[in-house]
CSV table of all heavy atoms in Angstrom, one decimal:
chain,number,residue,atom,x,y,z
B,159,SER,N,85.9,110.6,116.5
B,159,SER,CA,86.1,111.1,115.2
B,159,SER,C,87.2,112.2,115.2
B,159,SER,O,87.1,113.1,116.0
B,159,SER,CB,84.8,111.6,114.6
B,159,SER,OG,85.1,112.4,113.4
B,160,ARG,N,88.2,112.1,114.4
B,160,ARG,CA,89.3,113.1,114.3
B,160,ARG,C,90.4,113.0,115.4
B,160,ARG,O,91.0,114.0,115.7
B,160,ARG,CB,88.8,114.5,114.3
B,160,ARG,CG,87.8,114.8,113.2
B,160,ARG,CD,88.6,115.1,111.9
B,160,ARG,NE,88.1,114.1,110.9
B,160,ARG,CZ,88.6,114.2,109.6
B,160,ARG,NH1,89.5,115.1,109.3
B,160,ARG,NH2,88.2,113.3,108.7
B,161,SER,N,90.5,111.8,115.9
B,161,SER,CA,91.5,111.7,117.0
B,161,SER,C,92.8,111.1,116.4
B,161,SER,O,93.8,110.9,117.1
B,161,SER,CB,91.1,110.8,118.1
B,161,SER,OG,90.5,109.6,117.7
B,162,GLY,N,92.8,110.8,115.0
B,162,GLY,CA,94.1,110.4,114.4
B,162,GLY,C,94.1,108.9,113.9
B,162,GLY,O,95.1,108.4,113.6
B,163,LYS,N,92.9,108.3,114.0
B,163,LYS,CA,92.9,106.8,113.8
B,163,LYS,C,93.2,106.4,112.3
B,163,LYS,O,94.0,105.5,112.1
B,163,LYS,CB,91.5,106.3,114.1
B,163,LYS,CG,91.1,106.4,115.6
B,163,LYS,CD,89.7,105.8,115.8
B,163,LYS,CE,88.6,106.3,114.9
B,163,LYS,NZ,88.4,107.8,115.0
B,164,THR,N,92.6,107.1,111.4
B,164,THR,CA,92.8,106.7,110.0
B,164,THR,C,94.3,106.9,109.5
B,164,THR,O,94.9,105.9,109.0
B,164,THR,CB,91.8,107.4,109.0
B,164,THR,OG1,90.5,106.9,109.3
B,164,THR,CG2,92.1,107.1,107.6
B,165,PRO,N,94.8,108.1,109.7
B,165,PRO,CA,96.2,108.3,109.2
B,165,PRO,C,97.2,107.3,109.9
B,165,PRO,O,98.1,106.7,109.3
B,165,PRO,CB,96.6,109.7,109.6
B,165,PRO,CG,95.3,110.4,109.8
B,165,PRO,CD,94.3,109.4,110.2
B,166,THR,N,97.0,107.1,111.2
B,166,THR,CA,97.8,106.2,112.0
B,166,THR,C,97.7,104.7,111.5
B,166,THR,O,98.7,104.0,111.3
B,166,THR,CB,97.5,106.2,113.5
B,166,THR,OG1,97.7,107.6,113.9
B,166,THR,CG2,98.4,105.3,114.3
B,167,SER,N,96.4,104.3,111.2
B,167,SER,CA,96.2,103.0,110.7
B,167,SER,C,96.9,102.7,109.4
B,167,SER,O,97.6,101.7,109.2
B,167,SER,CB,94.7,102.7,110.5
B,167,SER,OG,94.0,102.9,111.7
B,168,LEU,N,96.8,103.7,108.5
B,168,LEU,CA,97.4,103.6,107.1
B,168,LEU,C,98.9,103.6,107.2
B,168,LEU,O,99.6,102.9,106.5
B,168,LEU,CB,96.9,104.7,106.2
B,168,LEU,CG,95.4,104.6,105.8
B,168,LEU,CD1,95.0,105.8,105.0
B,168,LEU,CD2,95.2,103.3,105.0
B,169,TYR,N,99.4,104.4,108.1
B,169,TYR,CA,100.9,104.5,108.3
B,169,TYR,C,101.4,103.1,108.8
B,169,TYR,O,102.4,102.6,108.3
B,169,TYR,CB,101.3,105.6,109.3
B,169,TYR,CG,102.8,105.7,109.4
B,169,TYR,CD1,103.5,106.5,108.5
B,169,TYR,CD2,103.5,105.0,110.4
B,169,TYR,CE1,104.9,106.6,108.6
B,169,TYR,CE2,104.8,105.1,110.6
B,169,TYR,CZ,105.6,105.9,109.7
B,169,TYR,OH,106.9,106.0,109.8
B,170,MET,N,100.7,102.6,109.8
B,170,MET,CA,101.1,101.3,110.4
B,170,MET,C,101.1,100.2,109.3
B,170,MET,O,102.0,99.3,109.3
B,170,MET,CB,100.1,100.9,111.5
B,170,MET,CG,100.3,101.6,112.8
B,170,MET,SD,99.1,101.1,114.0
B,170,MET,CE,99.9,101.8,115.5
B,171,ALA,N,100.1,100.2,108.4
B,171,ALA,CA,100.0,99.2,107.4
B,171,ALA,C,101.1,99.4,106.3
B,171,ALA,O,101.8,98.4,106.0
B,171,ALA,CB,98.6,99.3,106.7
B,172,MET,N,101.2,100.6,105.8
B,172,MET,CA,102.1,100.9,104.8
B,172,MET,C,103.6,100.7,105.1
B,172,MET,O,104.4,100.1,104.4
B,172,MET,CB,101.9,102.4,104.3
B,172,MET,CG,102.8,103.0,103.3
B,172,MET,SD,102.4,102.4,101.7
B,172,MET,CE,100.8,103.2,101.4
B,173,GLN,N,104.0,101.3,106.3
B,173,GLN,CA,105.4,101.3,106.7
B,173,GLN,C,105.8,100.2,107.6
B,173,GLN,O,107.0,99.8,107.6
B,173,GLN,CB,105.7,102.7,107.4
B,173,GLN,CG,105.5,103.9,106.5
B,173,GLN,CD,106.3,104.0,105.3
B,173,GLN,OE1,106.0,103.5,104.2
B,173,GLN,NE2,107.5,104.5,105.4
B,174,PHE,N,104.9,99.6,108.3
B,174,PHE,CA,105.2,98.6,109.2
B,174,PHE,C,104.6,97.2,108.9
B,174,PHE,O,104.9,96.2,109.6
B,174,PHE,CB,104.8,99.0,110.7
B,174,PHE,CG,105.7,100.1,111.3
B,174,PHE,CD1,106.5,100.9,110.5
B,174,PHE,CD2,105.7,100.3,112.7
B,174,PHE,CE1,107.3,101.9,111.1
B,174,PHE,CE2,106.5,101.3,113.2
B,174,PHE,CZ,107.3,102.1,112.4
B,175,GLY,N,103.7,97.2,107.9
B,175,GLY,CA,103.1,95.9,107.5
B,175,GLY,C,102.1,95.4,108.5
B,175,GLY,O,101.8,94.2,108.5
B,176,LEU,N,101.5,96.2,109.3
B,176,LEU,CA,100.5,95.8,110.3
B,176,LEU,C,99.1,95.8,109.8
B,176,LEU,O,98.8,96.7,109.0
B,176,LEU,CB,100.7,96.6,111.6
B,176,LEU,CG,102.0,96.5,112.3
B,176,LEU,CD1,102.1,97.6,113.4
B,176,LEU,CD2,102.2,95.1,112.9
B,177,ARG,N,98.3,94.9,110.3
B,177,ARG,CA,96.8,94.9,109.9
B,177,ARG,C,96.1,95.6,111.0
B,177,ARG,O,96.0,95.1,112.1
B,177,ARG,CB,96.3,93.5,109.8
B,177,ARG,CG,97.0,92.8,108.6
B,177,ARG,CD,96.7,91.3,108.6
B,177,ARG,NE,97.4,90.7,107.5
B,177,ARG,CZ,96.8,90.0,106.6
B,177,ARG,NH1,95.5,89.8,106.6
B,177,ARG,NH2,97.5,89.5,105.6
B,178,VAL,N,95.5,96.7,110.6
B,178,VAL,CA,94.9,97.6,111.6
B,178,VAL,C,93.4,97.8,111.4
B,178,VAL,O,93.0,98.1,110.3
B,178,VAL,CB,95.6,99.0,111.6
B,178,VAL,CG1,95.1,99.8,112.8
B,178,VAL,CG2,97.1,98.8,111.7
B,179,VAL,N,92.6,97.6,112.4
B,179,VAL,CA,91.2,98.0,112.4
B,179,VAL,C,91.1,99.3,113.1
B,179,VAL,O,91.7,99.5,114.2
B,179,VAL,CB,90.3,96.9,113.2
B,179,VAL,CG1,88.9,97.3,113.3
B,179,VAL,CG2,90.5,95.6,112.5
B,180,ASN,N,90.2,100.2,112.6
B,180,ASN,CA,89.9,101.3,113.5
B,180,ASN,C,88.4,101.6,113.5
B,180,ASN,O,87.7,101.4,112.5
B,180,ASN,CB,90.8,102.6,113.1
B,180,ASN,CG,90.3,103.3,111.9
B,180,ASN,OD1,89.3,104.0,111.9
B,180,ASN,ND2,91.0,103.2,110.8
B,181,TYR,N,88.0,102.0,114.7
B,181,TYR,CA,86.6,102.1,114.9
B,181,TYR,C,86.3,103.5,115.6
B,181,TYR,O,86.8,103.7,116.7
B,181,TYR,CB,86.1,101.0,115.7
B,181,TYR,CG,84.6,101.0,116.0
B,181,TYR,CD1,83.7,100.6,115.0
B,181,TYR,CD2,84.1,101.4,117.2
B,181,TYR,CE1,82.3,100.6,115.2
B,181,TYR,CE2,82.7,101.5,117.4
B,181,TYR,CZ,81.9,101.1,116.5
B,181,TYR,OH,80.5,101.1,116.7
B,182,PRO,N,85.4,104.3,115.0
B,182,PRO,CA,85.1,105.6,115.7
B,182,PRO,C,83.9,105.4,116.6
B,182,PRO,O,83.0,104.7,116.3
B,182,PRO,CB,84.7,106.4,114.5
B,182,PRO,CG,84.1,105.4,113.5
B,182,PRO,CD,84.7,104.1,113.8
B,183,PHE,N,84.0,106.0,117.8
B,183,PHE,CA,82.9,105.9,118.7
B,183,PHE,C,81.8,106.9,118.3
B,183,PHE,O,82.1,108.1,118.2
B,183,PHE,CB,83.3,106.1,120.1
B,183,PHE,CG,83.7,104.8,120.7
B,183,PHE,CD1,84.8,104.2,120.4
B,183,PHE,CD2,82.8,104.2,121.5
B,183,PHE,CE1,85.1,102.9,120.9
B,183,PHE,CE2,83.0,102.9,122.0
B,183,PHE,CZ,84.2,102.3,121.7
B,184,ILE,N,80.7,106.4,118.0
B,184,ILE,CA,79.6,107.3,117.6
B,184,ILE,C,78.6,107.5,118.7
B,184,ILE,O,78.7,106.8,119.8
B,184,ILE,CB,78.9,106.7,116.3
B,184,ILE,CG1,78.5,105.2,116.7
B,184,ILE,CG2,79.8,106.7,115.1
B,184,ILE,CD1,77.6,104.6,115.6
B,185,ALA,N,77.8,108.5,118.5
B,185,ALA,CA,76.9,108.9,119.6
B,185,ALA,C,76.2,107.8,120.4
B,185,ALA,O,76.2,107.8,121.6
B,185,ALA,CB,75.9,109.9,119.0
B,186,GLU,N,75.7,106.8,119.6
B,186,GLU,CA,75.0,105.8,120.2
B,186,GLU,C,75.8,104.9,121.2
B,186,GLU,O,75.4,104.7,122.4
B,186,GLU,CB,74.4,104.8,119.2
B,186,GLU,CG,73.2,104.1,119.7
B,186,GLU,CD,72.6,103.3,118.5
B,186,GLU,OE1,72.6,103.8,117.4
B,186,GLU,OE2,72.2,102.1,118.8
B,187,ASP,N,77.0,104.6,120.8
B,187,ASP,CA,77.9,103.8,121.7
B,187,ASP,C,78.2,104.7,122.9
B,187,ASP,O,78.3,104.2,124.0
B,187,ASP,CB,79.2,103.5,121.0
B,187,ASP,CG,79.0,102.7,119.7
B,187,ASP,OD1,78.3,101.7,119.8
B,187,ASP,OD2,79.6,103.0,118.7
B,188,MET,N,78.4,106.0,122.6
B,188,MET,CA,78.8,106.9,123.7
B,188,MET,C,77.7,107.0,124.8
B,188,MET,O,78.0,106.9,126.0
B,188,MET,CB,79.0,108.3,123.1
B,188,MET,CG,80.1,108.4,122.2
B,188,MET,SD,81.7,108.3,123.1
B,188,MET,CE,82.6,109.5,122.1
B,189,LYS,N,76.5,107.1,124.3
B,189,LYS,CA,75.4,107.2,125.2
B,189,LYS,C,75.3,106.0,126.1
B,189,LYS,O,75.1,106.1,127.3
B,189,LYS,CB,74.1,107.3,124.4
B,189,LYS,CG,73.2,108.5,124.9
B,189,LYS,CD,71.9,108.5,124.1
B,189,LYS,CE,72.2,109.0,122.7
B,189,LYS,NZ,71.0,108.8,121.8
B,190,MET,N,75.6,104.8,125.5
B,190,MET,CA,75.5,103.6,126.3
B,190,MET,C,76.8,103.3,127.0
B,190,MET,O,76.9,102.4,127.8
B,190,MET,CB,75.1,102.4,125.4
B,190,MET,CG,73.7,102.7,124.7
B,190,MET,SD,73.4,101.4,123.5
B,190,MET,CE,73.2,100.0,124.6
B,191,LEU,N,77.8,104.1,126.7
B,191,LEU,CA,79.2,103.9,127.3
B,191,LEU,C,79.5,102.3,127.2
B,191,LEU,O,79.8,101.7,128.3
B,191,LEU,CB,79.2,104.4,128.7
B,191,LEU,CG,80.6,104.6,129.3
B,191,LEU,CD1,81.3,105.7,128.6
B,191,LEU,CD2,80.6,105.0,130.8
B,192,ARG,N,79.4,101.8,126.1
B,192,ARG,CA,79.6,100.4,125.9
B,192,ARG,C,80.7,100.1,124.9
B,192,ARG,O,81.0,100.9,124.0
B,192,ARG,CB,78.3,99.7,125.5
B,192,ARG,CG,77.9,100.2,124.1
B,192,ARG,CD,76.9,99.3,123.4
B,192,ARG,NE,76.8,99.7,122.0
B,192,ARG,CZ,76.1,99.0,121.2
B,192,ARG,NH1,75.3,98.0,121.5
B,192,ARG,NH2,76.0,99.4,119.9
B,193,LEU,N,81.2,98.9,125.0
B,193,LEU,CA,82.1,98.3,124.0
B,193,LEU,C,81.2,97.4,123.1
B,193,LEU,O,80.4,96.7,123.6
B,193,LEU,CB,83.1,97.4,124.6
B,193,LEU,CG,84.5,98.0,124.9
B,193,LEU,CD1,85.4,96.9,125.3
B,193,LEU,CD2,85.0,98.8,123.7
B,194,LEU,N,81.4,97.5,121.8
B,194,LEU,CA,80.6,96.6,120.9
B,194,LEU,C,80.9,95.1,121.3
B,194,LEU,O,82.1,94.8,121.6
B,194,LEU,CB,81.0,96.8,119.5
B,194,LEU,CG,80.5,98.0,118.8
B,194,LEU,CD1,80.9,97.9,117.3
B,194,LEU,CD2,79.0,98.1,118.9
B,195,PRO,N,79.9,94.3,121.3
B,195,PRO,CA,80.1,92.9,121.6
B,195,PRO,C,81.2,92.2,120.7
B,195,PRO,O,81.9,91.3,121.1
B,195,PRO,CB,78.7,92.3,121.4
B,195,PRO,CG,77.9,93.3,120.8
B,195,PRO,CD,78.5,94.6,121.0
B,196,GLU,N,81.3,92.7,119.4
B,196,GLU,CA,82.3,92.2,118.5
B,196,GLU,C,83.7,92.3,119.1
B,196,GLU,O,84.6,91.5,118.7
B,196,GLU,CB,82.2,92.9,117.1
B,196,GLU,CG,81.1,92.6,116.3
B,196,GLU,CD,79.9,93.5,116.5
B,196,GLU,OE1,79.7,94.0,117.7
B,196,GLU,OE2,79.1,93.7,115.6
B,197,PHE,N,83.9,93.3,119.9
B,197,PHE,CA,85.3,93.5,120.4
B,197,PHE,C,85.7,92.6,121.6
B,197,PHE,O,86.8,92.5,121.9
B,197,PHE,CB,85.5,94.9,120.8
B,197,PHE,CG,85.5,95.9,119.6
B,197,PHE,CD1,84.8,97.1,119.7
B,197,PHE,CD2,86.1,95.5,118.4
B,197,PHE,CE1,84.8,98.0,118.6
B,197,PHE,CE2,86.1,96.4,117.3
B,197,PHE,CZ,85.4,97.6,117.4
B,198,GLU,N,84.6,92.0,122.2
B,198,GLU,CA,84.9,91.3,123.5
B,198,GLU,C,86.0,90.2,123.3
B,198,GLU,O,86.9,90.1,124.1
B,198,GLU,CB,83.6,90.6,124.0
B,198,GLU,CG,82.7,91.6,124.8
B,198,GLU,CD,83.4,92.2,126.0
B,198,GLU,OE1,84.3,91.6,126.5
B,198,GLU,OE2,83.0,93.3,126.3
B,199,PHE,N,85.9,89.5,122.2
B,199,PHE,CA,86.8,88.4,122.1
B,199,PHE,C,88.2,88.8,121.7
B,199,PHE,O,89.2,88.1,121.8
B,199,PHE,CB,86.2,87.4,121.0
B,199,PHE,CG,86.9,86.1,120.9
B,199,PHE,CD1,86.6,85.2,121.9
B,199,PHE,CD2,87.8,85.8,119.9
B,199,PHE,CE1,87.3,83.9,121.9
B,199,PHE,CE2,88.4,84.5,119.8
B,199,PHE,CZ,88.2,83.6,120.8
B,200,HIS,N,88.3,90.1,121.3
B,200,HIS,CA,89.6,90.6,120.9
B,200,HIS,C,90.1,91.8,121.8
B,200,HIS,O,90.8,92.6,121.3
B,200,HIS,CB,89.5,91.1,119.4
B,200,HIS,CG,89.0,90.1,118.5
B,200,HIS,ND1,89.8,89.1,118.0
B,200,HIS,CD2,87.7,89.8,118.0
B,200,HIS,CE1,89.1,88.3,117.2
B,200,HIS,NE2,87.8,88.7,117.2
Side-chain angles (χ1 to χ4, degrees):
Chain B
S159 165
R160 301 281 123 177
S161 51
K163 297 182 305 300
T164 293
T166 302
S167 301
L168 290 174
Y169 183 85
M170 286 180 165
M172 175 77 68
Q173 298 298 89
F174 288 14
L176 298 169
R177 292 165 184 243
V178 187
V179 174
N180 78 75
Y181 181 80
F183 270 75
I184 50 173
E186 202 175 322
D187 300 315
M188 292 291 215
K189 229 182 290 167
M190 300 174 64
L191 200 64
R192 63 158 191 180
L193 265 191
L194 285 188
E196 286 90 332
F197 292 138
E198 277 303 332
F199 195 71
H200 304 281

